[in-house]
Amino acid sequence: MGMFRSARATTQTRWLIGVGLPAVRFASITAIAIAAVSPTQAQRARVSINDGWKFHRGDPASASEDLRYEVLPELKLRPDGADFDAGVMDDSDTAVRKGILRSYILPSGNAFIRDPARRHVRPAGNPGGTVDYVKTGFDDAAWQSVTLPHDWAIAGPFIAKGPYGGMGRLPSWGPGWYRRTLTIPLADRGRSVFLDVDGAMSYATVWLNGKLVGGWPYGYNSWRLDLTPYIVPGGENQLAIRLDNPMESSRWYPGGGIYRNVWLTTADPVHVAQWGTKVTTSDVSAEKAQVALALTVENLANAGATIVADTAIYAIDAADRRLGGAVARIAPATISLTSGGTASASGTTTILNPRLWGPPPTQRPNRYVAVTTLRRAGRVIDTYETRFGVRALTFDPARGVIVNGEHVMLNGVNQHHDLGALGAAWNDRAAKRQLDMLADMGVNAIRMAHNPPAPELLDMTDRMGFLVMDEVFDVWERRKTPFDTHLIFKDWHEPDLRAMMRRDFNHPSVIMWSIGNEVGEQYGGRGAAVAREVMAIAKQEDSSRPVMGSMNVAAPGSDFASVFDAIALNYQGAGVRTKLPTFAGFRAKHPDKIIFSSESAAAYSSRGEYQFPVPGGISNPVRPGVGGDEATHQVSAYELFAADFGGSADRTWAAQDQNPTVAGEFVWTGFDYLGEPAPYYSSRSSYFGIIDLAGFPKDRFWLYKARWRPDVKFVHLLPHWNFAGREGQVTPVHAFTSADEAELFVNGKSQGRQKRAPFAYRFRWDYVRYEPGEIKVLTWKDGKPWADETVRTTGAPLRISAVADRTSIVNDGKDLAWVSVALNDTSGSFVPRDKRAIRFTIDGPGEIVATDNGDPTDFVAFPSTTRKLFNGRAIAIVRALPGKRGPIRVRVTADGLPDATVQIGSQSK
């Protein structure tokens, strides 16, 4: 983790959890090469408990107790797409509901409620204690054996009919149970034992040894429960977790199950509190930087305690390894704690010649780790590591985001949390693959849409140098779908917001917070009052970063817009709804705030699907026969089409470039994602992505790369040139490049040389008539040759090309390889229109986890090893069997073609 603030920022305010003594100030010293604390002295243990789970869908038929969090209103299914680009929703379903377990779960959030008078008292009793699934003696041998992270819905089958498109047509709703035994050593008697869950979808309830411990409703947040009162040291302890994801609870695919990592943390009763450090930096220069650390210590012992805390700081590499000795140290401070209370301490030090964190390619994402050690009577009782970065961050209304003195335009994308065919289940390799592809396109910023991400994703953005907009809520009090999180907002918005911000505070990649996305409160009523309430909580947690809500309808002069530190606009800046760009209107009303597009474009396309006629404008809505095919439910890949509320990249950039104070954009979206499949809600996945669900770039990828990486010499031609039956018909040709001149040739005949016009972002020859052969484009920049590309009419496919993205993978059951399949003709050229079925088989110590092709209309379940090509391409995702070594051979077969084989090594870490 890591965090630093602008040298111009105000002093960080520290907020304490619970009752404790006033803050203690550390002395400040600078030191070099101070010895590290020995790892053997550390008393804290954090162990993965992802293995060994049993899983079952549904509650026991014999259960006599109601296990719901609360009784929800009666569900009335609505037509698909009714929630898309939602406006005001009525609040009738926010009426008082009958509580079942609600009053028992609410106290789980007490640590994040600032006012002690508002914290919850748990009632007497043990709800659920009579249910078979929570009992230690229940036989779960017939249940499914699973390893976490686990998404129970991603295997399908898809729901072909009915109004389920918004949530991805996968059965993610309903109750599900997880059971696992925990062996707690007798030596842990007297220690604190915590269950740490990075994410579970949703309304989680936890029992240990038949006793209700607590839970957490919001499916995207990370949370902790104290298991200590329920643990039996020296034996096996039965853990049971029930989830109950509601129907109509999301506008996209939420996933189902415990879909992120789960940990067991043991510590001395006196320990650094959960997410109990905050690191900020100031006065940052090449010569030095001041580092401040705020520390919260928790005492769960039956008696008071006096401890000594000190912190050493080390430089670390991308693998978190320390680079030599300590570069600075915060001197020891004595802290006194009452039984059951907390206390805080803060201190500063100086790092000389700091290694600054900043975004590539002009800066490097260097990081540090602060190692905090607690001692009681000279004995180490806790060691806590905080990863952070040193950077100076400024938000200039006239220039935008400035990192370490350098202006950085936000070339960003929005990302939903699913990982395509793997679903919501977190996987390091799958997430890194996505980030690598985005970085290659020129992306330097990610917006987490619209919820807290997996903590490991922020570790990756820290290491890679992305700038992150961290977001917590999609709704507040007003709903977008009947059973979304508006149902719990009033009770849980403070714990949820504080939990996310404390968890993510120290990540250097996080440069801004979003507390809401297109919330219904924009429309009036008490919207501004709710915004101020949520904003106040966020500013209590962090005064060093800007806090905002993403707006899609709020007017520049509205009270709602005035609440936020920055103006984050979803499509409004480019003229959506008003038909005129509103960047200027917001600039006039808010001259002291940065302005950027938190969502831009919302373009639609299906990879490799070219439809005719091609309209002449720079941005067009999808209509039957113009951009959209009602028979196939595909959208044209000319990259000129967008949702009615959005616009093409071309339109978006023109609005930005005519308003040079705009700080940049987050495009909707980087990758296609499951659910929200507008404009065709009969499909499984979205059409918005610059990269499709399987990970194949659409043509739009090169349009963005040309803008965001203008020094890369390339030109990308579209469409392909395989249009048998269109001979003599108008078939426009477009070219994406950063060059400023281009000339197109069709079978050697020039179609004209063009110079780039003002506010034009592609070259286009709209009156080319199709004839088989080849099209070729030559480009120039500043009068010098730049790049060229030739696209030819291909012959029939003669062979299968299968390529793995990695030659070997680790046999830990987590590492993955992607095998990409295409068809080539006799010259080796890619055949772009083939949609025949292919089959994957595997030999050796591996398995095929999933297959996909990027087709949003494909309802074949992801685990299937038979998959149709979509416009000539498909993928298989391969995993090595845990602990097994040797070559893994993936064979690809298709009717009428010779087989192809690719080999991947399986090896130990």
Side-chain angles (χ1 to χ4, degrees):
M1 303 181 202
M3 154 64 195
F4 27 71
R5 64 164 191 251
S6 165
R8 302 182 185 180
T10 58
T11 302
Q12 173 64 39
T13 304
R14 291 176 293 104
W15 300 95
L16 308 183
I17 306 173
V19 180
L21 296 177
V24 179
R25 295 292 298 180
F26 286 118
S28 174
I29 64 170
T30 300
I32 304 297
I34 296 176
V37 176
S38 169
T40 60
Q41 291 179 284
Q43 298 300 299
R44 175 184 295 259
R46 184 172 185 256
V47 178
S48 170
I49 55 170
N50 285 344
D51 297 332
W53 290 86
K54 290 288 191 173
F55 169 71
H56 175 73
R57 290 292 303 272
D59 290 325
S62 60
S64 59
E65 296 187 67
D66 194 331
L67 301 176
R68 289 174 292 178
Y69 178 83
E70 59 189 359
V71 177
L72 298 178
E74 181 181 355
L75 174 65
K76 296 179 180 179
L77 289 175
R78 302 159 308 138
D80 257 336
D83 52 12
F84 191 60
D85 192 32
V88 175
M89 296 286 181
D90 68 79
D91 295 341
S92 61
D93 54 4
T94 62
V96 176
R97 299 174 295 278
K98 180 182 178 182
I100 305 295
L101 296 186
R102 175 175 171 271
S103 59
Y104 293 87
I105 302 300
L106 283 170
S108 300
N110 277 348
F112 302 96
I113 297 176
R114 188 167 179 239
D115 181 359
R118 296 185 58 248
R119 295 174 189 155
H120 304 281
V121 178
R122 174 170 166 155
N126 183 40
T130 66
V131 175
D132 288 343
Y133 291 177
V134 311
K135 295 177 180 177
T136 57
F138 175 73
D139 183 3
D140 57 19
W143 287 19
Q144 180 184 357
S145 296
V146 298
T147 298
L148 308 182
H150 174 239
D151 182 345
W152 74 45
I154 192 60
F158 285 98
I159 304 168
K161 296 182 179 180
Y164 304 113
M167 292 176 68
R169 300 196 168 276
L170 288 164
S172 58
W173 47 85
W177 286 82
Y178 293 83
R179 282 170 52 92
R180 187 193 193 278
T181 56
L182 303 174
T183 301
I184 307 297
L186 189 61
D188 280 345
R189 185 187 300 276
R191 292 171 59 75
S192 293
V193 181
F194 302 101
L195 176 70
D196 290 330
V197 178
D198 287 346
M201 189 64 64
S202 56
Y203 289 90
T205 307
V206 177
W207 290 263
L208 185 67
N209 296 326
K211 304 296 183 182
L212 177 64
V213 180
W216 203 279
Y218 191 30
Y220 293 104
N221 243 343
S222 301
W223 43 274
R224 162 176 285 186
L225 295 178
D226 185 359
L227 302 182
T228 313
Y230 311 96
I231 284 287
V232 179
E236 290 190 344
N237 295 260
Q238 182 62 57
L239 182 64
I241 301 177
R242 180 184 185 269
L243 307 179
D244 191 6
N245 198 34
M247 249 180 130
E248 293 251 37
S249 60
S250 178
R251 298 185 297 129
W252 55 85
Y253 176 67
I258 304 177
Y259 68 103
R260 293 180 185 163
N261 292 310
V262 178
W263 312 87
L264 196 68
T265 299
T266 58
D268 189 276
V270 181
H271 53 265
V272 176
Q274 182 186 20
W275 307 313
T277 57
K278 290 184 176 180
V279 177
T280 55
T281 59
S282 58
D283 300 324
V284 175
S285 68
E287 291 74 33
K288 64 180 181 178
Q290 186 177 56
V291 178
L293 183 141
L295 170 68
T296 300
V297 181
E298 182 176 45
N299 179 16
L300 298 182
N302 294 326
T306 299
I307 61 150
V308 175
D310 65 76
T311 298
I313 297 174
Y314 304 83
I316 57 175
D317 64 13
D320 298 338
R321 294 174 299 222
R322 297 180 190 178
L323 302 175
V327 299
R329 186 181 181 96
I330 298 175
T334 300
I335 305 172
S336 296
L337 300 103
T338 58
S339 173
T342 62
S344 70
S346 62
T348 60
T349 190
T350 300
I351 297 178
L352 300 177
N353 304 311
R355 304 167 75 250
L356 301 183
W357 186 97
T362 57
Q363 302 187 48
R364 294 180 61 85
N366 299 304
R367 295 174 303 136
Y368 292 88
V369 63
V371 182
T372 299
T373 303
L374 306 186
R375 292 179 174 84
R376 181 170 52 200
R379 181 177 65 88
V380 174
I381 60 171
D382 195 15
T383 303
Y384 190 88
E385 295 191 353
T386 308
R387 292 187 295 276
F388 69 99
V390 175
R391 60 162 166 71
L393 181 64
T394 304
F395 294 86
D396 188 319
R399 298 176 63 199
V401 179
I402 299 172
V403 184
N404 301 323
E406 177 189 358
H407 171 243
V408 179
M409 179 66 75
L410 295 175
N411 298 333
V413 296
N414 286 264
Q415 283 289 92
H416 267 304
H417 75 139
D418 75 68
L419 296 170
L422 300 175
W426 172 258
N427 179 271
D428 286 358
R429 176 60 198 152
K432 181 62 163 54
R433 173 177 177 261
Q434 288 191 344
L435 293 179
D436 285 339
M437 295 181 71
L438 294 173
D440 179 60
M441 186 171 64
V443 171
N444 64 9
I446 307 287
R447 179 185 179 215
M448 304 300 177
H450 302 291
N451 43 258
E456 293 85 358
L457 185 57
L458 292 179
D459 291 338
M460 290 181 185
T461 57
D462 288 348
R463 294 185 182 103
M464 298 178 72
F466 288 97
L467 306 176
V468 170
M469 181 179 185
D470 207 359
E471 190 159 75
V472 62
F473 299 125
D474 185 50
V475 296
W476 291 349
E477 292 178 353
R478 290 189 168 182
R479 68 178 175 91
K480 293 178 181 175
T481 61
F483 294 157
D484 61 26
T485 52
H486 81 280
L487 296 170
I488 58 172
F489 181 81
K490 290 181 179 178
D491 285 339
W492 284 93
H493 69 276
E494 182 181 3
D496 278 323
L497 177 56
R498 293 193 193 276
M500 183 196 81
M501 293 184 71
R502 291 180 193 176
R503 187 196 73 172
D504 298 348
F505 185 95
N506 294 307
H507 286 282
S509 56
V510 176
I511 66 165
M512 61 182 81
W513 306 104
S514 171
I515 56 176
N517 171 66
E518 298 182 357
V519 294
E521 283 76 3
Q522 292 174 92
Y523 292 86
R526 63 183 230 98
V530 178
R532 280 190 286 270
E533 177 187 346
V534 183
M535 186 77 172
I537 296 170
K539 300 305 286 185
Q540 289 166 5
E541 290 294 325
D542 186 5
S543 63
S544 67
R545 296 175 174 97
V547 180
M548 65 215 69
S550 292
M551 300 178 290
N552 64 331
V553 295
S558 66
D559 289 343
F560 187 88
S562 69
V563 172
F564 303 111
D565 294 331
I567 301 300
L569 300 177
N570 287 5
Y571 314 109
Q572 291 190 84
V576 176
R577 294 184 177 85
T578 64
K579 305 303 180 186
L580 296 172
T582 53
F583 283 132
F586 278 96
R587 168 57 64 226
K589 290 292 185 180
H590 304 278
D592 58 338
K593 299 179 181 181
I594 69 159
I595 296 176
F596 64 95
S597 290
S598 43
E599 288 181 27
S600 65
Y604 292 139
S605 63
S606 303
R607 175 184 51 79
E609 292 282 325
Y610 303 100
Q611 300 175 17
F612 306 96
V614 178
I618 65 169
S619 185
N620 303 274
V622 174
R623 295 294 183 265
V626 183
D629 188 323
E630 292 293 293
T632 64
H633 286 186
Q634 303 293 355
V635 179
S636 178
Y638 270 94
E639 309 298 3
L640 291 170
F641 301 94
D644 287 12
F645 59 83
S648 67
D650 310 59
R651 175 182 175 178
T652 298
W653 291 336
Q656 289 179 16
D657 291 348
Q658 292 171 55
N659 293 272
T661 64
V662 174
E665 65 179 326
F666 293 88
V667 179
W668 192 264
T669 55
F671 276 72
D672 277 340
Y673 54 94
L674 290 165
E676 205 170 43
Y680 300 116
Y681 264 72
S682 60
S683 299
R684 66 174 192 185
S685 53
S686 79
Y687 297 75
F688 292 114
I690 301 170
I691 301 169
D692 73 20
L693 198 72
F696 294 118
K698 302 178 185 179
D699 291 286
R700 216 180 322 152
F701 179 96
W702 287 275
L703 185 61
Y704 279 97
K705 187 169 183 174
R707 178 170 173 93
W708 290 345
R709 299 187 66 188
D711 295 333
V712 179
K713 291 186 176 183
F714 76 90
V715 58
H716 175 76
L717 273 179
L718 66 142
H720 56 67
W721 211 236
N722 280 33
F723 293 107
R726 287 193 59 80
E727 288 79 5
Q729 297 185 50
V730 172
T731 305
V733 177
H734 294 188
F736 301 158
T737 179
S738 60
D740 50 37
E741 287 188 77
E743 184 173 7
L744 179 71
F745 298 85
V746 178
N747 292 328
K749 300 175 184 177
S750 176
Q751 307 297 302
R753 181 163 171 165
Q754 302 179 11
K755 290 188 176 181
R756 188 184 296 274
F759 306 114
Y761 305 97
R762 66 175 77 196
F763 293 99
R764 54 193 296 173
W765 294 266
D766 284 336
Y767 301 103
V768 173
R769 293 186 180 274
Y770 176 71
E771 56 184 65
E774 71 172 32
I775 54 176
K776 182 175 182 178
V777 66
L778 303 178
T779 63
W780 296 263
K781 193 169 186 177
D782 299 325
K784 298 178 181 179
W786 184 251
D788 62 83
E789 183 174 59
T790 300
V791 176
R792 297 180 176 88
T793 305
T794 67
L798 291 182
R799 68 180 183 89
I800 302 170
S801 171
V803 179
D805 67 340
R806 308 170 75 197
T807 58
S808 66
I809 54 178
V810 178
N811 58 1
D812 60 359
K814 303 174 184 177
D815 201 9
L816 302 171
W818 273 256
V819 176
S820 299
V821 175
L823 302 186
N824 295 337
D825 69 3
T826 185
S827 68
S829 297
F830 167 63
V831 180
R833 301 185 71 178
D834 205 287
K835 297 186 179 181
R836 75 185 65 196
I838 59 172
R839 294 170 292 279
F840 295 93
T841 57
I842 196 164
D843 295 316
E847 60 181 339
I848 295 172
V849 180
T851 64
D852 194 15
N853 55 18
D855 179 0
T857 70
D858 188 348
F859 279 10
V860 174
F862 288 124
S864 173
T865 55
T866 298
R867 177 76 51 187
K868 285 186 176 181
L869 296 169
F870 180 56
N871 292 322
R873 299 191 186 277
I875 57 103
I877 305 173
V878 177
R879 174 169 56 206
L881 296 177
K884 304 293 184 180
R885 300 182 65 179
I888 301 169
R889 296 180 181 87
V890 180
R891 179 174 287 104
V892 187
T893 61
D895 292 344
L897 297 173
D899 297 354
T901 301
V902 62
Q903 182 168 305
I904 306 164
S906 171
Q907 60 185 20
S908 302
K909 183 176 290 186

